[in-house]
Amino acid sequence: MSLEPIQVKELVQKIIHKEEVHLLDIRRKNDVNAWAIEGEQVHSVNQTLPEIQENPEHVKSMLPSDEPVYVVCYKGISAQAATAILQQAGMDNVTYLVGGMEAWGEHLEPVKVASLQQGAIHQFVRVGKGCLSYMIASGDEAVVVDPNRMIEVYLSFAQQNGWTITHVIDTHLHADHISGGRMLAEKTGATYWFPPEEENVPFEYELLEHDMTFSLNNNSVSIQTIHTPGHTLGSTSLLIHDKYLLTGDTLFVTSIGRPDLAGKANEWTSLLYNTLYETIRAITHDVHIFPTHFSALHELNKDGGVYSTKHSIYQSNYRLNIDSYQAFENMITNNLPAQPNSYQEIRDINMGKANVESSKWPTMEAGPNRCAVS
């Protein structure tokens, strides 16, 4: 009996729980090398559909016969054809990933990462893209931070938990994915907050300034803003009860934010240095860092969330222990990765200066996180 097609959510759970997963990726080799499904126990074979059509027996010999095999393509269509060929060749342990890499890149997995008085912080892990967003809730109120464009996930999650989204915050101007901030605020009637130091934008927003306080559930939960420029001019971190620090794209678990995506690396590197070596360093070491991106699945904790203590990060990340500013600047210059896919177009969309059909958004966003210094 053939296997049922696997949904992205089920595959994500298998990878988070470090189950053994066997994939047959039928995309072009260059595309696989640029962006693929990875994990500690993920075993992947790359054979294109023409190669499978030409010699299915050879492809069968490369795959296990006693474990499920999931076929992956761009959108889940060609994978169905490949699955049918292999099933006709006698494989009864093969099926396909519904929606392919496009669905993989868009899935958001909610993970509870902290408890608050009458509430919690939930991290939405976009496993395929390396994006992280947050819902901070207490009582019947919720604040959403750095939402992705798949806003129905946040709407559904808030409704399931009986929360009303009252504030939506973008900690900075995003360059690697399309923000859902304005869309979510418009849908819910929530107040949309955006840093005033970012480039001039035509849309309306409230100024997300330094040392503001957001309160939830009659002051049961307070969120303080801290201006932490460097990745962008307006980058802002959020401190919750001196215990949890949402750092946007400024500080990650294993790296730091890059300062060059607006073409101002020279000016912004010094800001990043001051933020990391003075502003954040001065915050208590016990605070837990919750970033907005991660680079690899090994950064996921056992619960599926991405976070660590500031003490651990500052001990293990050499970028935070460089002796001089000049050495820090040289490190940045020598370790900038390739630019994110379509990053200038994405910046223009997020600034409200470009109107691109939503059908093109998945292709624009395709690819791994590239907001960190490598």
Side-chain angles (χ1 to χ4, degrees):
M1 182 177 180
S2 60
L3 298 173
E4 290 295 317
I6 189 170
Q7 302 288 333
V8 168
K9 184 174 182 62
E10 183 181 353
L11 181 60
V12 167
Q13 288 297 316
K14 287 179 179 292
I15 292 174
I16 287 176
H17 294 109
K18 295 181 171 56
E19 297 180 26
E20 194 164 14
V21 171
H22 294 273
L23 303 177
L24 173 59
D25 197 324
I26 66 170
R27 296 175 298 145
R28 293 173 297 188
K29 289 175 175 53
N30 287 343
D31 293 332
V32 174
N33 290 336
W35 185 41
I37 298 174
E38 299 175 336
E40 191 171 311
Q41 294 294 325
V42 173
H43 310 281
S44 187
V45 171
N46 178 214
Q47 292 284 289
T48 64
L49 182 57
E51 289 171 326
I52 296 169
Q53 292 169 326
E54 182 179 348
N55 194 343
E57 292 297 328
H58 173 65
V59 176
K60 276 179 58 180
S61 70
M62 304 170 71
L63 301 168
S65 60
D66 56 351
E67 297 286 345
V69 175
Y70 308 115
V71 184
V72 179
C73 66
Y74 297 97
K75 296 187 177 183
I77 299 173
S78 298
Q80 296 179 46
T83 298
I85 292 170
L86 293 171
Q87 287 175 342
Q88 291 170 4
M91 281 190 73
D92 59 3
N93 62 319
V94 63
T95 188
Y96 63 92
L97 176 64
V98 176
M101 289 299 293
E102 183 172 303
W104 171 255
E106 295 190 345
H107 178 75
L108 299 178
E109 186 70 20
V111 177
K112 182 179 177 180
V113 291
S115 295
L116 300 173
Q117 186 171 342
Q118 298 181 17
I121 303 174
H122 283 85
Q123 186 180 72
F124 290 76
V125 184
R126 190 174 175 183
V127 178
K129 182 65 181 171
C131 296
L132 303 166
S133 50
Y134 296 87
M135 188 175 293
I136 307 163
S138 181
D140 60 0
E141 296 179 77
V143 175
V144 179
V145 181
D146 289 328
N148 287 253
R149 59 182 170 79
M150 290 72 73
I151 64 170
E152 290 300 326
V153 176
Y154 308 102
L155 294 169
S156 175
F157 193 77
Q159 184 178 37
Q160 290 169 17
N161 287 280
W163 298 328
T164 298
I165 298 172
T166 54
H167 299 280
V168 178
I169 298 172
D170 266 327
T171 61
H172 63 286
L173 177 67
H174 299 283
D176 76 317
H177 69 276
I178 295 163
S179 168
R182 283 183 291 138
M183 291 184 282
L184 184 59
E186 290 171 5
K187 188 76 172 181
T188 60
T191 304
Y192 178 57
W193 299 86
F194 191 73
E197 293 87 2
E198 302 290 26
E199 299 183 41
N200 293 330
V201 294
F203 54 80
E204 293 185 3
Y205 62 94
E206 295 297 321
L207 301 180
L208 185 71
E209 298 180 302
H210 175 68
D211 203 23
M212 297 176 59
T213 299
F214 295 85
S215 297
L216 295 176
N217 192 22
N218 294 320
N219 298 319
S220 295
V221 172
S222 63
I223 306 168
Q224 177 191 354
T225 63
I226 303 173
H227 187 212
T228 50
H231 175 65
T232 69
L233 191 59
S235 288
T236 300
S237 296
L238 305 176
L239 182 62
I240 304 171
H241 293 315
D242 292 322
K243 291 183 177 180
Y244 313 107
L245 184 67
L246 278 62
T247 53
D249 280 5
T250 298
L251 176 61
F252 306 123
V253 170
T254 61
S255 188
I256 60 175
R258 58 191 298 173
D260 65 309
L261 291 181
K264 299 180 180 180
N266 290 337
E267 301 99 311
W268 290 2
T269 297
S270 62
L271 296 175
L272 182 63
Y273 180 82
N274 290 336
T275 287
L276 296 173
Y277 281 74
E278 296 180 13
T279 305
I280 295 180
R281 188 181 289 276
I283 298 172
T284 174
H285 263 15
D286 294 334
V287 74
H288 279 73
I289 301 296
F290 292 141
T292 298
H293 279 102
F294 64 99
S295 297
L297 288 176
H298 67 75
E299 296 180 48
L300 272 64
N301 293 314
K302 290 182 179 180
D303 61 4
V306 180
Y307 56 89
S308 186
T309 63
K310 195 195 104 180
H311 176 70
S312 175
I313 292 173
Y314 270 75
Q315 272 195 322
S316 61
N317 191 338
Y318 80 91
R319 302 167 188 86
L320 303 170
N321 294 282
I322 294 175
D323 292 337
S324 67
Y325 172 71
Q326 187 59 57
F328 179 84
E329 185 178 45
N330 291 340
M331 180 275 298
I332 293 287
T333 302
N334 295 328
N335 290 279
L336 290 173
Q339 302 282 17
N341 191 35
S342 303
Y343 82 100
Q344 189 56 57
E345 291 176 276
I346 290 173
R347 279 172 50 85
D348 288 343
I349 292 172
N350 289 339
M351 285 191 288
K353 296 182 177 180
N355 188 13
V356 178
E357 293 179 11
S358 60
S359 60
K360 297 180 180 179
W361 292 354
T363 301
M364 293 173 63
E365 291 184 336
N369 163 41
R370 289 180 181 151
C371 283
V373 175
S374 59

